[in-house]
Amino acid sequence: MTARILIIEDEEPLTLLLRYNLEAEGYEVDTSARGDEGDLRLKESPPDLAVIDWMLPGLSGIELIRRLRTRPETRQLPVIMLTARGEEGERVRGLATGADDYIVKPFSVPELLARIRALLRRVKPERVAEVLVAGDIELDREKKRVSRSGREVPLGPTEFRLLEFLMQSPGRVFSREQLLNGVWGRDIYIDERTVDVHVGRLRKGLNRGRASDPIRTVRGAGYAFNDRFGKGA
Ligand code: CA
């Protein structure tokens, strides 16, 4: 079962980036650009987790959280608050108001994704898959281990995250830029060819002595985890 996440944030480029990356992880995403509208959404159909910006038109993130905590259906809702740099002094107030976690802008997408996963795991463990399986490959998110046909595959941390990212959305083709955003984070400048180097290392580790390669290179587009892998392809 997939988790539904509501993002209440008025910076459209950030909302789009988060939507893209959360959907790539298999979450269902709903967004709102205003505090008062977000409040209505939370009343109408409470999500499994909400990401709420501090400064919002209509109703502030703080007031929004205060209100949702007074309603029984959202009293326990996991909430991550986004704050801008300089509001750190008010972070404590944010947490006291009832957010479960907060993250300071600008943040890296992989970090927010990790916080979301950690929070969901804590409150709704059944909604987060700990082990991704495709054919004879198993990736254990908790233990940070990958095995193929029962044998451990030694991978570096970047190769692990790259495989995790690709396995989350079998069949979906990611450009090098999308992989950089999703695996390395958008605030880090890395040459796109670095992606090729790490895909090469990942393949070497996974495919040692084997013919079947689960990773597809899509010419002119990027890379994908073969969604037919282990299904006779
Ligand atoms: Ca804002």
Side-chain angles (χ1 to χ4, degrees):
M1 202 176 196
T2 181
R4 209 159 58 81
I5 297 178
L6 173 62
I7 302 169
I8 308 174
E9 162 63 76
D10 56 327
E11 278 173 55
E12 208 193 341
L14 180 57
T15 307
L16 287 174
L17 182 76
L18 293 181
R19 175 190 281 281
Y20 178 85
N21 283 282
L22 288 167
E23 286 179 349
E25 285 230 356
Y27 296 111
E28 221 178 280
V29 179
D30 196 9
T31 64
S32 172
R34 293 183 56 89
D36 43 4
E37 190 195 282
D39 191 38
L40 277 176
R41 294 276 179 89
L42 286 164
K43 266 186 219 164
E44 285 162 4
S45 60
D48 295 302
L49 181 145
V51 176
I52 301 177
D53 187 30
W54 177 288
M55 299 294 281
L56 288 167
L59 190 67
S60 79
I62 290 292
E63 178 58 19
L64 188 52
I65 293 171
R66 199 192 60 74
R67 289 191 189 182
L68 70 88
R69 288 295 182 238
T70 64
R71 295 193 292 266
E73 64 279 14
T74 48
R75 187 164 291 141
Q76 307 288 333
L77 178 76
V79 174
I80 295 179
M81 168 151 271
L82 306 178
T83 70
R85 228 176 257 298
E87 290 169 352
E88 278 102 328
E90 301 186 22
R91 280 186 199 177
V92 179
R93 210 177 112 208
L95 287 171
T97 315
D100 298 276
D101 199 0
Y102 63 85
I103 192 159
V104 181
K105 295 179 187 176
F107 53 83
S108 79
V109 173
E111 189 183 352
L112 179 65
L113 294 180
R115 300 273 193 101
I116 288 175
R117 214 178 293 132
L119 191 51
L120 281 174
R121 190 178 291 140
R122 210 162 76 214
V123 293
K124 306 195 174 189
E126 75 286 359
R127 296 293 178 99
V128 185
E130 295 294 347
V131 181
L132 302 175
V133 181
D136 59 353
I137 298 174
E138 271 190 35
L139 181 146
D140 188 322
R141 289 173 146 159
E142 192 69 21
K143 295 181 183 139
K144 304 273 176 230
R145 271 194 185 149
V146 175
S147 66
R148 188 158 183 187
S149 301
R151 281 208 189 152
E152 185 156 354
V153 175
L155 292 178
T158 305
E159 285 72 35
F160 178 88
R161 287 202 308 274
L162 186 58
L163 179 62
E164 182 184 17
F165 191 81
L166 290 169
M167 278 183 87
Q168 279 163 181
S169 307
R172 183 157 175 177
V173 181
F174 293 99
S175 70
R176 288 167 179 80
E177 194 193 346
Q178 288 165 341
L179 289 171
L180 282 177
N181 281 337
V183 176
W184 280 263
R186 67 172 168 158
D187 293 323
I188 300 163
Y189 178 77
I190 302 171
D191 193 286
E192 290 192 359
R193 275 168 300 184
T194 305
V195 175
D196 301 327
V197 172
H198 287 277
V199 169
R201 284 188 199 151
L202 173 58
R203 278 185 165 138
K204 207 172 154 201
L206 273 181
N207 302 337
R208 200 156 296 204
R210 287 186 181 81
S212 60
D213 182 358
I215 296 163
R216 285 172 55 216
T217 302
V218 184
R219 204 172 287 273
Y223 297 100
F225 192 88
N226 188 350
D227 54 351
R228 292 195 299 273
F229 177 74
K231 295 170 189 161

